[in-house]
Amino acid sequence: MVKQRRIRAHSCCASVCCRRGPLKTLTKPAIFARETSCDCRAPHEKLTIAQACRGTPVDRPVRVYADGIFDLFHSGHARALMQAKNLFPNTYLIVGVCSDELTHKFKGFTVMTEIERYEALRHCRYVDEVLRDAPWTLTPEFLEKHKIDFVAHDDIPYSSAGSEDVYKHIKEAGMFVPTQRTEGISTSELITRIVRDYDVYARRNLQRGYTAKELNVSYINEKKYRLQNQVDRMKEKVRTVEEKSKHFVYRVEEKSHDLIQKWEEKSREFIGNFLELFGPDGTWKQVFQERSGRMLSYALSPRESPCNSPPRELSPLRSPSPPSPPARWHSARPSPPNSPKGASASISSMSEGDEDEK
């Protein structure tokens, strides 16, 4: 059953994918606009924002137009285009980029050329079409020519070319859809950073191999910047040596601390073993007392020879004395004893003879 359900689910997914067609992969940049890129042959009816939000019309996408200079293309530009692309369920985003001539005339000099700005927009994932040399002010003829349904831009009034707001008539026609600006990032902000830190970036590019002529830097400033670069390199070397020396001292302190700790542990162990051996109640004192007690006991009670020891042999220098004949008490006088033990033996024998006679 589980296997059959998996097969059914797989077939359902395959049928859905076949109906929708293969997924679109972004492998090519956006196209450049022609006279009109709208392939819909039906009359281009005017849409309201409510209709576009509901996903109508079904036969064509909602064509949204966003224009600008897009100099130093940054994340703020990309986020604005992302908002324009996601305004409606089915949006075709056309981005108009003004030429260098119009931009320099009405706004000021740009960092990037118009060709560089065109290419930057073509490689943004949210852009479907790039319109080169876009007009500064949008006319009804222009909107009709390119079949534009809505215009997307931030809601701040944009005063230029003698007008307080170049999008005023678009707003009045109900074709304006606002987007939100990204705070903290703009082309003017990026240029301000570069101008504010001009010396830093000039030194950076000199260090990377650019000449003073390419950077429009005078001879004196060039020598000053190069000297500052050398000073900075020396400071970096000194800072590196200081960090290495601090790291070395830290390692030495750490190792010395470990050595001192190990030495203290070994010292405590040595002292403990010494006290355990030679202290008041140490092992050495017990051993000494046991040995002295044994020696005293040996001195007071000598050990007996074992009963099964072999008999003591006489020395060859002494000859055995001949056996004395049995002497009777009345015929021979007993010889005087040579030792106290002999005397006692003779006395006992005499007393035994007296008792026999009686």
Side-chain angles (χ1 to χ4, degrees):
M1 292 295 292
V2 176
K3 188 175 182 180
Q4 292 178 357
R5 289 178 181 175
R6 289 180 180 175
I7 294 173
R8 291 177 182 174
H10 180 72
S11 61
C12 291
C13 292
S15 62
V16 171
C17 291
C18 291
R19 289 197 301 269
R20 292 182 179 178
L23 295 176
K24 183 180 178 182
T25 56
L26 299 176
T27 58
K28 297 181 180 180
I31 62 172
F32 285 121
R34 303 184 299 271
E35 290 295 325
T36 177
S37 57
C38 183
D39 297 330
C40 181
R41 297 181 181 179
H44 194 81
E45 299 178 356
K46 186 176 181 181
L47 298 176
T48 63
I49 295 178
Q51 291 174 341
C53 290
R54 288 196 300 266
T56 54
V58 181
D59 58 341
R60 67 173 180 85
V62 179
R63 295 172 65 84
V64 178
Y65 178 80
D67 61 351
I69 310 301
F70 302 105
D71 191 21
L72 297 177
F73 189 80
H74 51 75
S75 61
H77 295 142
R79 288 176 65 87
L81 297 177
M82 180 186 68
Q83 295 176 55
K85 179 67 176 179
N86 292 280
L87 286 173
F88 308 109
N90 187 14
T91 301
Y92 186 86
L93 181 60
I94 306 167
V95 179
V97 183
C98 299
S99 63
D100 288 344
E101 182 181 358
L102 282 177
T103 305
H104 298 168
K105 179 180 179 181
F106 292 109
K107 191 169 184 179
F109 193 75
T110 58
V111 178
M112 300 171 66
T113 64
E114 60 183 24
I115 296 176
E116 293 170 342
R117 293 184 284 118
Y118 296 155
E119 290 298 324
L121 267 298
R122 288 187 69 196
H123 292 82
C124 179
R125 62 183 299 182
Y126 309 112
V127 178
D128 296 305
E129 183 179 324
V130 175
L131 195 149
R132 295 170 289 187
D133 194 11
W136 197 261
T137 303
L138 303 180
T139 61
E141 293 77 15
F142 175 83
L143 300 176
E144 179 64 27
K145 176 182 178 180
H146 293 279
K147 308 296 182 182
I148 296 171
D149 293 311
F150 300 99
V151 176
H153 200 274
D154 61 81
D155 201 15
I156 300 174
Y158 194 83
S159 58
S160 180
S163 174
E164 296 181 357
D165 188 3
V166 295
Y167 298 104
K168 182 178 180 181
H169 63 288
I170 305 294
K171 296 176 181 178
E172 292 175 351
M175 298 176 63
F176 186 83
V177 183
T179 58
Q180 299 296 323
R181 293 178 63 90
T182 302
E183 297 297 332
I185 184 71
S186 65
T187 302
S188 300
E189 175 66 22
L190 295 177
I191 294 175
T192 301
R193 296 179 194 176
I194 297 172
V195 172
R196 181 182 58 207
D197 300 327
Y198 168 77
D199 291 346
V200 175
Y201 293 110
R203 289 166 53 190
R204 170 188 178 274
N205 282 9
L206 282 174
Q207 193 172 3
R208 289 178 175 270
Y210 288 86
T211 63
K213 186 177 180 180
E214 291 174 333
L215 297 175
N216 195 22
V217 174
S218 64
Y219 177 81
I220 296 176
N221 286 337
E222 178 191 4
K223 297 303 178 184
K224 182 183 71 173
Y225 293 152
R226 295 191 183 279
L227 179 61
Q228 289 176 349
N229 288 336
Q230 293 179 359
V231 172
D232 289 345
R233 284 195 292 269
M234 290 297 297
K235 288 181 179 179
E236 186 66 25
K237 288 182 180 179
V238 172
R239 191 179 300 110
T240 304
V241 171
E242 288 180 354
E243 291 178 356
K244 290 183 177 179
S245 61
K246 288 180 181 179
H247 182 66
F248 176 75
V249 170
Y250 175 76
R251 290 182 61 186
V252 170
E253 290 179 353
E254 187 177 6
K255 288 186 176 180
S256 62
H257 179 72
D258 294 340
L259 290 174
I260 292 172
Q261 187 175 3
K262 290 181 180 179
W263 182 81
E264 290 178 352
E265 292 177 357
K266 294 294 182 182
S267 301
R268 294 191 191 98
E269 183 179 356
F270 177 77
I271 293 171
N273 293 336
F274 182 84
L275 293 175
E276 184 179 357
L277 187 62
F278 299 102
D281 299 327
T283 307
W284 181 257
K285 184 177 181 181
Q286 296 177 3
V287 172
F288 180 76
Q289 289 177 354
E290 290 179 359
R291 290 189 177 181
S292 60
R294 290 177 184 175
M295 292 175 65
L296 184 60
S297 62
Y298 290 160
L300 296 177
S301 59
R303 295 176 62 183
E304 297 180 355
S305 60
C307 58
N308 56 355
S309 60
R312 185 176 181 182
E313 296 180 356
L314 297 175
S315 61
L317 298 177
R318 293 184 179 181
S319 61
S321 58
S324 58
R328 296 183 178 179
W329 67 274
H330 61 272
S331 62
R333 183 180 292 178
S335 61
N338 295 327
S339 63
K341 289 183 179 181
S344 61
S346 61
I347 293 171
S348 61
S349 62
M350 288 175 65
S351 60
E352 287 177 358
D354 294 338
E355 290 178 357
D356 293 338
E357 289 180 355
K358 287 179 181 181

